[in-house]
Amino acid sequence: MRAGEVGMKELFPRRGLPNVISKLEHGETVTIVYFGGSNTRSQGYRVMTGDWLQSKYPNSEIRSVNAGIDGTGSDLGCARLETDVLRHQPDLVFVEFVGNDGGVPESKARIEGIVRQIRKRSPFTDILFVYTLKERDLPLFQAGEYQKGAIMQEEVADYYGIPSIHLGVAVSQLVSDGKLIFTSRAEQSNPGAVIFTHDSVHPTIPEGHQIYTDTITRSFEKISELRDHQGRLEHHLPRNSLVPANPWEYASMLPLDNLTLFSEGWSYMTPDDFALVREYNWLFPGLWRAVDPGEAITVQFEGTHIGLFDIGGPDSGRLKVSVDGGEPFLIDRFTPYNDHNRNQYVFLPELPNGKHTVRFEVDHEKTDKAAVFEASGNAKSMEHVRQHPAWYDQTVIQLGKLLVVQPPL
């Protein structure tokens, strides 16, 4: 998808959005789910496009669902699709994962897993891919090339006829025209130019997200103009997946106690008895919490992937993991971002499809957390360790959901 010779296209309409546009034009109630990461969760393009659609179609009631979760990619997206998207019976699903997927090769299979789940469960639901832009992608756009992750998602879009919008095209052009500064510190002002981000990733609100919104709304109008089919259209689901033997359409998110055996030291914390659960009850009804090394959970499942959706923070420890009795390995639930509590998740490496027993044990050894921050050059977080040594000197694990991928055997 190199486009430098002919100019960058921001819209690839493909088979369009026939069903949601028909319902809007007939004044029917429409449910739109915005599914993605932090740019979707914020009060940015999601809110702005919803407001624009409501003003354009005043006879329709537009129900917008915020299914964005900060710092999450299409792998977790596949697992949470039923819970966060399909149960709302959407007419349209925005899919925004390019930024957090980071162009990893597996993202093509995961994005296809999202599409196939939607097509299987809800064949009249329209899907729209939107691709956000980070500053690191800007040189690619100015050289006439889309980012790697968008190129992979475009293969999926082509195969399933899904329209896509490259939000970076307008941003790149505005930078080239001298009308936009991609990143500037919040305290700086630049008269005559829009400040797009303060952190190179998240557009400012409203100015930066307004550029995304304008791109989406003019693309929506173009898709509407190109529509050659009136009335409902059932979206075809090809029998064969684009990615051979793709397991990700069989991903799901489950309560931990469905498949899990807990050692005695685990406690199930609810919003009534734990402040952290109240803070994250939009994600989890409760948290399974262990504080002592040696506490373990054992999960028996059939499938190819298993993972944990959890809350990490300064007090997070490590897990020693063994699969089917094999050599243990470590997954650290403390990350360079854990100078505060935050939702996070991890998948183990892919397994042969079949029955597996996985044991997660709180490790006795502690991560050198100051060294983690030092390696990432985060002086502010290093100072936080010095100010709160007792908070960091713990091995806490707080689990919210079990993530599994279970294709037919």
Side-chain angles (χ1 to χ4, degrees), residues 18-20 90-92 118-119 121-126 232-235:
N19 298 322
V20 70
D91 298 288
L92 171 62
I118 295 173
R119 289 282 187 261
R121 269 285 310 278
S122 186
F124 291 96
T125 295
D126 295 334
R232 298 185 82 200
L233 176 68
E234 182 171 358
H235 294 291

Side-chain angles (χ1 to χ4, degrees), residues 46-65:
R46 171 180 57 82
V47 174
M48 295 174 179
T49 58
D51 289 346
W52 178 84
L53 285 166
Q54 189 64 80
S55 65
K56 183 174 176 62
Y57 300 99
N59 294 327
S60 289
E61 178 188 350
I62 297 175
R63 300 171 178 169
S64 294
V65 177

Side-chain angles (χ1 to χ4, degrees), residues 16-35:
L17 305 170
N19 298 322
V20 70
I21 290 175
S22 177
K23 291 187 74 171
L24 288 167
E25 289 179 347
H26 287 88
E28 299 178 45
T29 297
V30 162
T31 298
I32 301 174
V33 175
Y34 294 85
F35 189 41

Side-chain angles (χ1 to χ4, degrees), residues 105-348:
E106 296 83 2
S107 67
K108 181 165 74 171
R110 296 163 181 168
I111 288 293
E112 185 183 31
I114 289 171
V115 171
R116 292 189 69 85
Q117 284 190 62
I118 295 173
R119 289 282 187 261
K120 277 195 296 187
R121 269 285 310 278
S122 186
F124 291 96
T125 295
D126 295 334
I127 303 171
L128 176 63
F129 288 174
V130 292
Y131 307 131
T132 56
L133 185 73
K134 296 183 178 182
E135 188 168 24
R136 71 185 186 196
D137 303 321
L138 189 60
L140 281 174
F141 272 75
Q142 295 185 322
E145 186 173 357
Y146 303 101
Q147 66 266 59
K148 183 178 178 181
I151 293 172
M152 286 190 290
Q153 288 199 30
E154 286 291 85
E155 293 183 52
V156 178
D158 276 336
Y159 191 70
Y160 293 93
I162 294 168
S164 60
I165 303 174
H166 294 261
L167 301 177
V169 173
V171 175
S172 175
Q173 188 61 54
L174 288 168
V175 171
S176 297
D177 293 344
K179 297 178 180 178
L180 183 145
I181 296 171
F182 202 101
T183 301
S184 179
R185 294 197 305 271
E187 65 271 16
Q188 291 181 322
S189 61
N190 294 272
V194 172
I195 304 302
F196 188 61
T197 79
H198 297 312
D199 62 1
S200 81
V201 174
H202 301 97
T204 53
I205 298 173
E207 296 86 357
H209 269 279
Q210 188 63 56
I211 297 169
Y212 277 177
T213 301
D214 291 344
T215 303
I216 292 169
T217 55
R218 65 173 167 263
S219 297
F220 197 96
E221 289 187 316
K222 185 65 174 178
I223 290 171
S224 182
E225 292 168 7
L226 293 172
R227 189 163 58 108
D228 59 4
H229 178 86
Q230 304 298 318
R232 298 185 82 200
L233 176 68
E234 182 171 358
H235 294 291
H236 172 62
L237 176 65
R239 180 176 178 181
N240 295 322
S241 57
L242 174 65
V243 177
N246 187 355
W248 284 95
E249 65 180 282
Y250 303 100
S252 61
M253 184 168 69
L254 305 173
L256 268 108
D257 48 1
N258 275 23
L259 301 170
T260 305
L261 178 66
F262 294 86
S263 63
E264 290 185 2
W266 289 86
S267 300
Y268 186 70
M269 314 300 289
T270 70
D272 293 333
D273 51 32
F274 198 48
L276 190 66
V277 182
R278 291 194 291 276
E279 183 181 350
Y280 285 95
N281 64 358
W282 62 280
L283 279 180
F284 310 121
L287 289 171
W288 287 95
R289 192 169 191 267
V291 300
D292 296 324
E295 298 297 342
I297 63 170
T298 302
V299 183
Q300 293 185 323
F301 83 108
E302 295 181 357
T304 57
H305 296 78
I306 186 170
L308 301 170
F309 194 10
D310 59 339
I311 300 296
D315 54 1
S316 290
R318 310 192 299 191
L319 288 170
K320 185 164 59 176
V321 184
S322 60
V323 179
D324 299 328
E327 189 70 22
F329 59 94
L330 292 173
I331 55 171
D332 202 339
R333 302 318 297 136
F334 181 83
T335 77
Y337 308 103
N338 285 149
D339 60 359
H340 62 286
N341 292 316
R342 62 191 296 272
N343 56 267
Q344 56 190 28
Y345 68 100
V346 63
F347 277 96
L348 302 190

